[in-house]
Structure formats: C-alpha cells, structure tokens
Amino acid sequence: MSISFKTRSLDLAMMRRMDEHSTTQLPADAGKANHPQAASSKPGPSGPRGIGFLQLRALRQDYLGTVHGWHRRWGDVVQQRLLLYRDFSFLHPEHVRELLVASHEQLIRWPRATEIFASAHGQSVIVAEGAPWKRQRQMLQPGFAPKRVDALLPLMVAAGQQALQRWQGAGREAFGFEAAMTQLTMEVILRSLFSRSDEAQGRAAAEAVHVLSVVAMGEFYWPVSSPLWAPWKAPKRRALATLDGFIRRELARRREDDTPHEDLLDMMIRARDPEGRGFDEHGLRDECMTTFLAGHETTAAALTWWGWCMASHPQEQQAIAEELDQVLAGRAPTAADLPQLPRLSRSIKETLRLYPPGAALLTRIASTPLRVAGFEIPPGAMIRLTPALTQRDPRWFQEPEAFRPERFDPGSGHGEIPRGAYLPFGAGPRVCLGSHFATTEMMVIGALILQHHRLCPVPGLPAPTPRLDITLRPSQPLQLQLERRR
Ligand code: HEM
C-alpha cells in the first residue's frame, strides 16, 4: 500500500505529478540520480519574486509542501532572499552531512527560533551555542548512553503495563490512540526524570506542551514576538507557568529527599564539567525542562504514526506479533531482548523515515562564510534542512511513499541507504541527545502493545494526514480500534 504524504494543504504526490507536466526538469526525474546539483548553477527565485512575503506566508501555511515545491522546481539547492536573509535550502544527503558534520562549527541555530524556544527551555543544551553548549552536552551525554538508558527500561515497562490496564475496556469502538501515546510517553519521561508520575499533573503538562507548540509555530514567522504580558499571550503565559511551576516543584521535592534515585534528574545533579563544576539551580531547571519537552512530544508523535503504520499494514503487524510471541513468549521485554526483535525495530525505523517527528531541523544560520556544494554562503544566511523530504527522495528510497520496513534489512536487496539520507534524529555533534532513549522506549511500548492488542483502522475514518506544529502530527487526533490478542 502506498502512503500519500499530505501536508496541511498540499499533496506532495500530486505535486510531483503536476511537476512532471511542467517544463522544469527535476534531478530525480531527469535520471541524474545520485549527483548533487551542479555547483555552477544559481537556483532559486530572483528579483521581486525573491522579496519573500509570499514565501513566508506559504511557509507558515504549509511548510513541507512549500519547501518541497521549491526543490521540485529548483533542484537540490535552493537559494533565495527571504526578507532580510539569504535563504538556502538543501536536500541532497552529501550536502546535509557537509553542513551538519563537517561545517557544524560554522553554524548556529536561527536566533529567532532559539529566542522562542528559550522562553520555555531557558539556556539548556537545545538552545545553547559554542562553549556553553559543548560543556552542557558533555555533562549530559553519559546519562543518555545505552547502558544508562537500559537501566531505565524497567520504568518504561511499568508505565506501559499500567497503560495496558487502563485500555482493558477498549474494543471495537474508536480508541484515542494519539491521546493514549501522549499520556504514556509523558508517564515514561516523568518516571525516567523524576522517578514518579502523577496522572493529573501529566495531563495538565501535556496540554501546556501542546499550547506551546502551536503558539511557537505561529511565532516563527513573525520577525518579533509581542511581550508575554500582552493580553493575547495569555495561553502561552499560562502554559509556561504550568510547566515552570511543575519542574520547580519537582526540584524542590528532590532537595528534601535523601533517598537514592537512579533517574535522569539524579544524573543531572551529579554531572560535572572538566573543572568539576555541576549545573546550578537555573541550569538544572532548564535541562529538566528540555528533557521533559524534547523527551515526550517527539516519541508520542513517532508512536502515533507507528500505530497507524501497523493498523494500515495488518500483515506486517501480524509478522511482528509472531516475532514477539517467539522471542518473549508472553513476558515483558528486557534490554537483552531488544536486539532479538529486528522486525519490530525495522517497523519503527520505517515509521521514522515516513513520518519523522523532527520533519524540519531547526533552521541554522552561517556564522562565518561557508562553501557548500560549490555555493558561497555568506555569514548570516539561513540554512534549511528537511529530513521529511530527504527521506522521501526516490533516489535513495525505492517507492519512497510506501511503508516498506524491509528496506532496513541488509539482506532484502534494497539499495544501500546513503549516509545523510536517513536522519530522523539529525546528524553530527548536535544529533538528538535522546536517540537511544527514544528507540528503546518505542521498542518497549511497541512490543507491549502488539503482545496484547491488534491495531486496526476505524471503519469510515479517513487516513490521517500530517501537519507540522514543531513535531509532525496527524492533523486530526488519531483514533484506532484495539482488538485484544490475549
Ligand atoms: C522519536 C523521538 C525523537 C526524535 C525523532 C528526535 C529528534 C531530534 C532531532 C532531529 C534533533 C536535532 C534537531 C536539530 O538538529 O535541529 C534532536 C535534538 C535533541 N533531542 Fe531529540 N528526538 C527524539 C526524542 C528525544 C528524547 C526522548 C530526548 C530526551 C529524553 C531528546 C532530547 C533531545 C535534545 C536534548 C536535543 C538537542 C541536542 C543538542 O542540541 O545538542 N530527544 N532530537
């Protein structure tokens, strides 16, 4: 079955067909496969078309469809002027790696995005640049290493089992699968971070996170934000107060608690830089907030899409359920079991290819002059990288819009996936800090779900279409049927 990747208003598959009838020859369709765009060309709109208000409006309305449209028209590299900025968008895996790996020190995140992020994240690792970022990253990295994450796996299993209990009544009626994944990943991150979970608090926090995502997506396309005290900023103000109060209460509780904990907060409290200094109170609050925010929204989105991929591919789902029965024989998974579940693992990788929660990486700015793909990139230029598009490029993925987990099986005959073509967690030194945590969590939850339930589409409901609000989510909350297997 093929999957059409609809963004808010534009069907990419339809666009491809339209482009096939236009006069522009596109690299993929032109049979020039695998070769990045010629360095001498000057792709992208010029003159008055490049001024940018229309492009900005289009980006705001349908980011992925708009950037896809540029690349269909102009090729692997698109350069244009968007308001005050020179704007470059790159699609080709070689260019993506050149930027994120080789030139990473010459890029910073777009200050407007970090300014918006900083209102919630403070100066945490996701916002910081240069030496402070390096220090924070080095302090946090050991806590997210596979061994440390494996120690958190029993907490993930406990949260999953509690959720299975809650879902016992689910049957042939529509079940709010997306809401259930959001609640479950919230519980996993609360237990992993603070060794506790509180359902009511979790729900309030999930609502606040949702409000912040939607508001942030709107703010990105305005050159300045109105102050937080402005009356129309009340939802953002309330959401920030909810999250901030919640994190600060957890930190206060830990200060008064002498019992040992083996959780992420404990790791952060004990983390030291090479000079032996730890995080101060603000630093701890900021890192907790980022782990909390980055650590559940993305995974909830990924599991939601995985649920849909399973429901819409019953044969693959059945094969995974059989693998689980064979390896686990009904018991909960342990860290040692996960490598024995390749079929489940491939289904998750393929879901992350089709529906990467970080569909567009945070836009970068060149901090010094750069030369990439033969193009001179001046300091201050904006750089866009869009995994959702690179990961659906027919040059690297046969039948790119189809759910084909076997493409991640080296023995399947699918061509090798070039480095830089598959990047759901980004690449280079700023690659996702929680990638092992996230894949472990998805494996554990996926295993528990398919051991107990069969996921089916709800008759009469249309297939979900993706919408980008910081993370890529279905435009309508996903509902599925949960049939009990045992
Ligand atoms: C399926 C789940 C996840 C996906 C798809 C994902 C994706 C990403 C991506 C693409 C980036 C890089 C963004 C960029 O370069 O612009 C990133 C960064 C980050 N992620 Fe994740 N993430 C996931 C889960 C998690 C989890 C569970 C945590 C923590 C528990 C986490 C923590 C972070 C942090 C702290 C950064 C910033 C790293 C830095 O700037 O040095 N992520 N993530």
Side-chain angles (χ1 to χ4, degrees), residues 100 109 125-128 133 137 140 144 189 264 287 290-292 294-296 298-300 302-303 352 356-358 360-364 387 423-427 429-435 437-439 441-442:
L100 290 180
R109 298 211 203 275
V125 66
I126 209 163
V127 168
W133 165 77
R137 178 96 195 191
L140 294 168
F144 288 93
I189 202 67
L264 292 173
E287 301 305 343
T290 288
T291 302
F292 174 70
H296 92 278
T298 40
T299 322
L303 279 166
L352 289 174
L361 294 187
L362 292 172
T363 303
R364 308 301 209 261
L423 60 156
F425 293 108
R430 286 206 93 141
V431 69
C432 175
L433 183 62
S435 62
F437 184 102
T439 36
E441 179 180 0
M442 287 186 280

Side-chain angles (χ1 to χ4, degrees), residues 39-253:
S40 57
S41 58
K42 293 253 182 269
S46 57
R49 277 186 306 162
I51 298 292
F53 284 108
L54 287 179
Q55 282 95 328
L56 276 187
R57 198 174 63 184
L59 284 172
R60 189 184 171 144
Q61 284 171 348
D62 180 3
Y63 186 92
L64 296 177
T66 302
V67 177
H68 181 76
W70 295 345
H71 284 288
R72 295 303 299 174
R73 181 139 192 223
W74 305 105
D76 275 328
V77 185
V78 178
Q79 63 163 326
Q80 59 192 319
R81 187 165 282 282
L82 280 186
L83 302 182
L84 300 176
Y85 291 96
R86 288 278 295 282
D87 190 286
F88 289 80
S89 181
F90 292 91
L91 190 69
H92 197 282
E94 275 176 26
H95 304 159
V96 170
R97 282 189 65 78
E98 223 173 307
L99 283 156
L100 290 180
V101 184
S103 308
H104 119 92
E105 287 191 338
Q106 288 143 282
L107 302 179
I108 56 167
R109 298 211 203 275
W110 178 35
R112 176 81 186 118
T114 43
E115 181 195 339
I116 293 164
F117 268 48
S119 58
H121 295 257
Q123 292 305 312
S124 78
V125 66
I126 209 163
V127 168
E129 297 289 353
W133 165 77
K134 208 167 179 177
R135 170 180 181 263
Q136 286 159 238
R137 178 96 195 191
Q138 281 172 349
M139 289 168 77
L140 294 168
Q141 190 115 349
F144 288 93
K147 248 203 172 121
R148 294 294 296 268
V149 170
D150 288 353
L152 298 172
L153 188 141
L155 298 176
M156 299 175 182
V157 169
Q161 286 173 331
Q162 196 184 344
L164 289 171
Q165 296 270 329
R166 271 200 307 272
W167 305 341
Q168 259 178 358
R172 293 221 143 254
E173 327 70 72
F175 172 77
F177 190 78
E178 182 169 355
M181 291 304 105
T182 304
Q183 188 180 356
L184 176 47
T185 55
M186 173 75 77
E187 277 167 21
V188 168
I189 202 67
L190 288 179
R191 287 170 192 246
S192 307
L193 191 50
F194 301 127
S195 293
R196 46 182 254 108
S197 96
D198 173 329
E199 238 179 72
Q201 212 169 41
R203 261 200 302 276
E207 178 51 31
V209 173
H210 178 71
V211 170
L212 285 185
S213 282
V214 174
V215 173
M217 202 59 197
E219 281 184 300
F220 279 152
Y221 300 101
W222 293 106
V224 287
S225 298
S226 39
L228 205 52
W229 50 258
W232 55 92
K233 283 289 181 81
K236 179 170 178 178
R237 227 168 27 234
R238 274 197 299 271
L240 285 174
T242 301
L243 292 176
D244 196 54
F246 158 62
I247 301 279
R248 288 187 192 281
R249 274 194 302 281
E250 289 300 330
L251 290 178
R253 201 190 303 269

Side-chain angles (χ1 to χ4, degrees), residues 153-165 167 177 181 184 188 303 306 317 320-321 324-325 328 330-334 337-338 341 344 348 440-455 482-486:
L153 188 141
L155 298 176
M156 299 175 182
V157 169
Q161 286 173 331
Q162 196 184 344
L164 289 171
Q165 296 270 329
W167 305 341
F177 190 78
M181 291 304 105
L184 176 47
V188 168
L303 279 166
W306 174 82
Q317 182 182 171
I320 297 171
L324 290 165
D325 288 346
L328 302 177
R331 63 179 171 77
T334 64
D337 292 320
L338 301 189
L341 301 169
L344 174 63
I348 290 170
T440 304
E441 179 180 0
M442 287 186 280
M443 288 288 288
V444 166
I445 294 176
L448 290 173
I449 291 177
L450 292 193
Q451 279 180 305
H452 294 85
H453 294 283
R454 192 169 294 110
L455 301 177
L482 251 61
E483 280 177 14
R484 279 194 76 78
R485 288 188 72 225
R486 60 161 62 93

